[in-house]
Amino acid sequence: MNSMERRQRILALARDQGAVDVQKLAADLAVSPETVRRDLHRLEQQGLVRRTHGGAYPVETARFETTLDTRTTRLVTEKRRIATAAAQLLGDAESVFIDEGYTPRLIAEALPAERALTVVTASLDTAAILAASPATTVLLLGGRVRGRTRATVDHWAVDMLAGFVIDLAFVGANGISREHGLTTPDPAVAAVKAQVISVSRRVVFAGVHTKFGASSFCRFADVADVDAVVTDVGLPASEAHRYSLLGPVVQRV
């Protein structure tokens, strides 16, 4: 196995398993840990993985995106803390947008059930959860349903959003970086998210620390377009401060 084949194997394992460990890769591939670290460094330079202490995890790209079901199994404790803290930013909002994805779905579950709210969402799962609440009016955006995330996209969703003025939007992203802003692999998803931000009075980004510093294919917003960021303590305080200098209030929970 040459170096290119080895890196392709490492990337495939990272995408299949969600993360890889240097020592285990070295044993499985019969190479030294130093060789694996060089391979991971090269993959990181190509924007395909992010390195961690002792390993790496895959970055979502135009050709690779995790499924919603996969996201429900990773960093769940952190995502629940983030969702609880994000829901507390509701303030006096009467109309709310909740993005596709698992963390936004947890935010929907954390919203006060007795509060009269109009919730707009592209997520079929979130719409089904909130429809059970008598106090909540749910508006599900129309469009093509992406099987990977069970959410609607394309011009139907964008056109519907254009007719709204939304008090508060809870948005997610596949990556957020100070250089490239908020990104996602699919242009159709990016168009919906960009429209959400353009029609919302306040925007809250909620996401785990592994999304920070990562960039995917399609940029839909700058960090400065977001009013607040809620993440977990896995994001170093120094890095959170750097993001706050771009405009949003950053909360680590």
Side-chain angles (χ1 to χ4, degrees):
M1 182 183 300
N2 61 35
S3 60
M4 182 175 294
E5 291 171 337
R6 191 174 59 248
R7 288 168 192 158
Q8 289 175 343
R9 176 62 176 160
I10 290 172
L11 180 61
L13 287 169
R15 289 177 169 177
D16 181 60
Q17 300 173 3
V20 288
D21 176 80
V22 168
Q23 298 299 328
K24 188 175 188 306
L25 283 173
D28 292 345
L29 300 174
V31 297
S32 69
E34 290 73 19
T35 296
V36 172
R37 291 188 186 97
R38 285 196 296 270
D39 287 338
L40 292 175
H41 178 68
R42 180 59 177 160
L43 290 169
E44 187 173 49
Q45 286 181 322
Q46 295 173 331
L48 298 173
V49 303
R50 291 290 306 285
R51 296 172 70 188
T52 61
H53 180 70
Y57 59 87
V59 172
E60 301 194 12
T61 67
R63 295 182 57 189
F64 167 72
E65 183 181 7
T66 55
T67 65
L68 181 60
D69 290 338
T70 299
R71 297 173 197 177
T72 64
T73 65
R74 298 176 183 168
L75 299 172
V76 174
T77 300
E78 291 85 349
K79 289 174 181 178
R80 289 193 181 279
R81 288 203 309 267
I82 290 167
T84 299
Q88 292 172 357
L89 300 178
L90 184 60
D92 59 359
E94 297 179 356
S95 56
V96 177
F97 175 83
I98 298 180
D99 209 349
E100 63 173 50
Y102 183 53
T103 301
R105 190 172 89 192
L106 293 174
I107 294 173
E109 294 174 358
L111 293 175
E114 72 285 354
R115 175 83 169 266
L117 292 173
T118 296
V119 177
V120 181
T121 186
S123 166
L124 274 64
D125 289 11
T126 293
I129 290 168
L130 291 175
S133 172
T136 306
T137 299
V138 181
L139 300 180
L140 177 63
L141 298 178
R144 173 174 61 90
V145 178
R146 298 177 75 234
R148 185 169 292 274
T149 58
R150 297 193 290 274
T152 55
V153 292
D154 290 336
H155 69 88
W156 300 277
V158 173
D159 291 347
M160 189 172 174
L161 281 165
F164 298 145
V165 178
I166 297 171
D167 294 330
L168 173 61
F170 293 107
V171 300
N174 299 75
I176 176 173
S177 73
R178 289 179 282 116
E179 296 80 10
H180 303 296
L182 282 68
T183 55
T184 191
D186 192 316
V189 175
V192 172
K193 292 176 184 286
Q195 184 71 298
V196 166
I197 289 174
S198 72
V199 302
S200 298
R201 292 189 170 101
R202 282 195 297 142
V203 178
V204 174
F205 168 77
V208 290
H209 70 276
T210 56
K211 294 179 181 290
F212 287 77
S215 298
S216 193
F217 180 54
C218 299
R219 176 177 181 156
F220 64 88
D222 294 325
V223 175
D225 294 325
V226 175
D227 298 287
V229 168
V230 184
T231 187
D232 61 271
V233 293
L235 182 71
S238 58
E239 190 64 8
H241 177 66
R242 293 185 185 99
Y243 278 89
S244 70
L245 293 176
L246 297 176
V249 175
V250 181
Q251 183 177 358
R252 299 159 63 243
V253 297

